[in-house]
Amino acid sequence: ARVLEAMDLALAWMETTRSYARPAAAADSSRRAHFNQVVINSFDNVTMERAFLFILNLHFGRLDFSEEVRSLLQSIVAAILDIYKRIIEHLLPTPAKIHYTFNLRDFSRVVQGITLCRPHCFGTFDQIARLWAHEDYPAFYDRLVSDDDRYSIFAHLVEAVRVHYRADADVVCKTIATVGAPDDGGSNNALEEDDMRRLMFGDLVKMILVIACVDNRKTVFLFPDTQIKEESFIEDVKDLLNFGDVPNLFADDERLNIIERCVSDKQEEGEPGDRTPATLYNYFIERVKRNLHIVLCMSPIGDVFRARLRIFSLGDNTLQAVAHLFLGEFGLSGAAKNASVHLCRRFYQSDIDLSARFLSAFSRFKYVTPTSYVELLQFYIMLLRAKTDELSDLQPQLKSTSEKTINATTFTFPTRSSYAHIALAHAEAELATTLAGLVEKQSVLKAVQDQLQALNDDLQALTLRRR
């Protein structure tokens, strides 16, 4: 509040370039057009530096900024003043550029934007220098309509980094610089005009990832389309959604710092595995996936939203990842989970093909969006949960029926066994009786055979006597 109040007081004084008094003689209508005009000369560089340096000292002094950052305040004001002077001297209003009217309010917007920074986000020289360049762009660069004018400001901004900060802009902005051909010393990154759009977005993503993982806090990244200055921002958000990381976002020293801060947390959680940098960085990514939630807000008005939907449509890998996430939370695993993922993906892609055929046949649109896929998964999980609950309700009844069946089987088997023994004994008795009868009949048959043989012998003897 004190900073804003001081800025209002300074602007109230510095913006008073002309004022008007009451008419000298109100009673006389012929003199009502006469006014007294008071003009204040433009402020010199020393006055402006002193006023705005006081505002910066007030902000950076009341917060716990490092001495390295506080020592840059004089350079910050001098660099803003350098850009401001060049614009008001060289970029004057013309019939084609009537809005090229820059004043101290534009100067104050840059200072006001810098006073919004906090020590935990901007604690190094490079971060403050990038913040200064980032605030210069909306105040001055974005109002320019000519490519030559924009490039002249970009070139002067790069030169101001060298003069006032005594640093190389390619090094200060190395995280966003365009990668060039490698030289003898390694990669040769050169800062280009289009790279400045990503100036603070990379730092913002870094801060969000650190909060989500290192601080282990649930974080929501709200990203409206009004902040999409470059389509590459959406590419970075897509990488966050798919992988939980943005390629080449962290420098080597920043990556090592993150790994060192993750070691103790991994040990406290008792996570298995080794302590190699790759394993620890994967632990960092997994924690980001658990804690970070991304909310994209886009207006459906115009063609931009439809073009982005076509460019950033859901691919096979994304469809599988989303299905695995939803079904994994439900508890499916193994072959059942893989089969369900394949079916859901096939249903969604088939719906897209059918929508195209429907359009060609009836000239009517049937929109299939990522929301349709999420609703498909949610409906499938709802049905799966309903069937699971139904089976759970039937489980006691099935258990009771199974127990009764087992008991009935246990009591029936001895009865059947006793019946079998009785039948067997009865059959054995009948068989013995039959065998005894057969033996008896065999003996009778033997006696009859003997009698027949005796008669036959007597008959033969009688025949011989008669001869």
Side-chain angles (χ1 to χ4, degrees), residues 58-310:
L58 188 63
H59 171 71
F60 285 86
R62 68 185 181 87
L63 298 178
D64 189 19
F65 284 93
S66 62
E67 291 297 330
E68 178 187 10
V69 172
R70 293 178 181 177
S71 63
L72 295 173
L73 300 184
Q74 186 72 38
S75 301
I76 293 174
V77 176
I80 300 173
L81 181 61
D82 189 5
I83 300 294
Y84 173 73
K85 286 293 185 181
R86 180 176 179 82
I87 288 177
I88 63 175
E89 291 174 2
H90 294 86
L91 300 180
L92 301 176
T94 64
K97 308 171 185 177
I98 58 175
H99 64 285
Y100 278 20
T101 53
F102 299 93
N103 51 44
L104 288 178
R105 290 193 179 275
D106 303 307
F107 196 117
S108 67
R109 289 192 186 98
V110 180
V111 176
Q112 186 176 8
I114 295 176
T115 56
L116 297 176
C117 68
R118 293 296 181 265
H120 65 278
C121 300
F122 299 90
T124 64
F125 164 79
D126 291 345
Q127 292 174 340
I128 291 296
R130 290 196 293 267
L131 176 62
W132 161 78
H134 175 265
E135 295 300 331
D136 279 331
Y137 254 57
F140 303 118
Y141 182 93
D142 288 348
R143 294 174 58 184
L144 307 179
V145 296
S146 170
D147 292 338
D148 294 336
D149 295 343
R150 286 193 289 263
Y151 183 78
S152 66
I153 295 302
F154 166 73
H156 194 71
L157 186 143
V158 173
E159 181 66 18
V161 173
R162 185 186 65 81
V163 173
H164 298 286
Y165 295 99
R166 295 180 177 85
D168 187 358
D170 296 339
V171 177
V172 172
C173 302
K174 61 183 178 181
T175 57
I176 63 169
T178 301
V179 179
D183 54 14
D184 297 336
S187 62
N188 184 20
N189 295 356
L191 184 65
E192 297 181 358
E193 186 177 359
D194 292 339
D195 297 332
M196 299 300 292
R197 286 297 183 187
R198 304 192 303 271
L199 190 59
M200 296 306 298
F201 184 74
D203 290 336
L204 173 64
V205 174
K206 287 181 184 179
M207 179 185 68
I208 292 174
L209 295 184
V210 169
I211 293 175
C213 175
V214 179
D215 297 342
N216 196 20
R217 291 163 52 188
K218 297 293 184 181
T219 307
V220 176
F221 179 25
L222 179 62
F223 191 42
D225 56 356
T226 56
Q227 301 297 324
I228 303 176
K229 302 301 181 182
E230 292 290 334
E231 294 300 316
S232 60
F233 292 0
I234 305 181
E235 290 282 353
D236 294 340
V237 173
K238 186 182 75 170
D239 291 334
L240 284 176
L241 290 171
N242 290 334
F243 311 109
D245 189 20
V246 178
N248 302 322
L249 178 64
F250 294 100
D252 293 338
D253 54 342
E254 295 173 335
R255 184 186 291 262
L256 290 176
N257 185 25
I258 290 174
I259 290 174
E260 290 176 357
R261 298 175 65 178
C262 289
V263 171
S264 59
D265 292 344
K266 186 175 177 64
Q267 291 176 348
E268 291 178 359
E269 294 181 3
E271 291 285 341
D274 52 12
R275 297 293 186 267
T276 60
T279 303
L280 292 173
Y281 195 72
N282 289 333
Y283 171 76
F284 163 77
I285 294 176
E286 291 299 325
R287 182 177 276 188
V288 168
K289 290 180 180 179
R290 290 197 303 266
N291 292 337
L292 180 60
H293 301 270
I294 299 177
V295 180
L296 285 175
C297 303
M298 295 189 181
S299 173
I301 301 175
D303 298 330
V304 178
F305 181 63
R306 289 192 292 271
R308 285 170 179 163
L309 286 179
R310 290 193 300 268

Side-chain angles (χ1 to χ4, degrees), residues 444-456:
V444 172
L445 182 61
K446 178 69 173 164
V448 172
Q449 287 179 351
D450 291 341
Q451 290 178 3
L452 290 175
Q453 185 66 32
L455 291 174
N456 188 26

Side-chain angles (χ1 to χ4, degrees), residues 220-457:
V220 176
F221 179 25
L222 179 62
F223 191 42
D225 56 356
T226 56
Q227 301 297 324
I228 303 176
K229 302 301 181 182
E230 292 290 334
E231 294 300 316
S232 60
F233 292 0
I234 305 181
E235 290 282 353
D236 294 340
V237 173
K238 186 182 75 170
D239 291 334
L240 284 176
L241 290 171
N242 290 334
F243 311 109
D245 189 20
V246 178
N248 302 322
L249 178 64
F250 294 100
D252 293 338
D253 54 342
E254 295 173 335
R255 184 186 291 262
L256 290 176
N257 185 25
I258 290 174
I259 290 174
E260 290 176 357
R261 298 175 65 178
C262 289
V263 171
S264 59
D265 292 344
K266 186 175 177 64
Q267 291 176 348
E268 291 178 359
E269 294 181 3
E271 291 285 341
D274 52 12
R275 297 293 186 267
T276 60
T279 303
L280 292 173
Y281 195 72
N282 289 333
Y283 171 76
F284 163 77
I285 294 176
E286 291 299 325
R287 182 177 276 188
V288 168
K289 290 180 180 179
R290 290 197 303 266
N291 292 337
L292 180 60
H293 301 270
I294 299 177
V295 180
L296 285 175
C297 303
M298 295 189 181
S299 173
I301 301 175
D303 298 330
V304 178
F305 181 63
R306 289 192 292 271
R308 285 170 179 163
L309 286 179
R310 290 193 300 268
I311 296 173
F312 300 100
S313 59
L314 296 179
D316 289 343
N317 295 333
T318 306
L319 292 175
Q320 290 183 2
V322 173
H324 274 288
L325 177 63
F326 274 81
L327 298 177
E329 292 179 353
F330 179 74
L332 281 182
S333 61
K337 180 179 178 182
N338 295 331
S340 300
V341 169
H342 175 73
L343 287 177
C344 291
R345 185 186 64 178
R346 184 176 179 181
F347 289 156
Y348 178 74
Q349 293 173 342
S350 300
D351 196 10
I352 295 177
D353 296 337
L354 290 174
S355 299
R357 293 169 56 186
F358 185 76
L359 176 63
S360 61
F362 301 99
S363 299
R364 294 178 60 185
F365 287 95
K366 195 271 182 183
Y367 296 99
V368 182
T369 63
T371 304
S372 305
Y373 185 62
V374 174
E375 291 176 350
L376 168 66
L377 292 171
Q378 291 175 346
F379 183 70
Y380 175 70
I381 291 175
M382 182 183 68
L383 291 178
L384 195 60
R385 183 176 288 110
K387 291 297 181 181
T388 303
D389 295 339
E390 182 179 349
L391 292 177
S392 299
D393 295 337
L394 291 175
Q395 186 175 2
Q397 182 178 354
L398 293 174
K399 184 177 180 181
S400 176
T401 304
S402 177
E403 291 177 352
K404 291 179 179 179
T405 304
I406 294 173
N407 294 333
T409 304
T410 304
F411 290 125
T412 303
F413 280 169
T415 306
R416 291 179 178 176
S417 178
S418 61
Y419 288 156
H421 284 294
I422 295 172
L424 182 60
H426 183 67
E428 289 179 351
E430 289 183 353
L431 181 60
T433 305
T434 304
L435 288 175
L438 289 176
V439 171
E440 183 179 357
K441 289 179 181 180
Q442 187 176 6
S443 60
V444 172
L445 182 61
K446 178 69 173 164
V448 172
Q449 287 179 351
D450 291 341
Q451 290 178 3
L452 290 175
Q453 185 66 32
L455 291 174
N456 188 26
D457 292 342

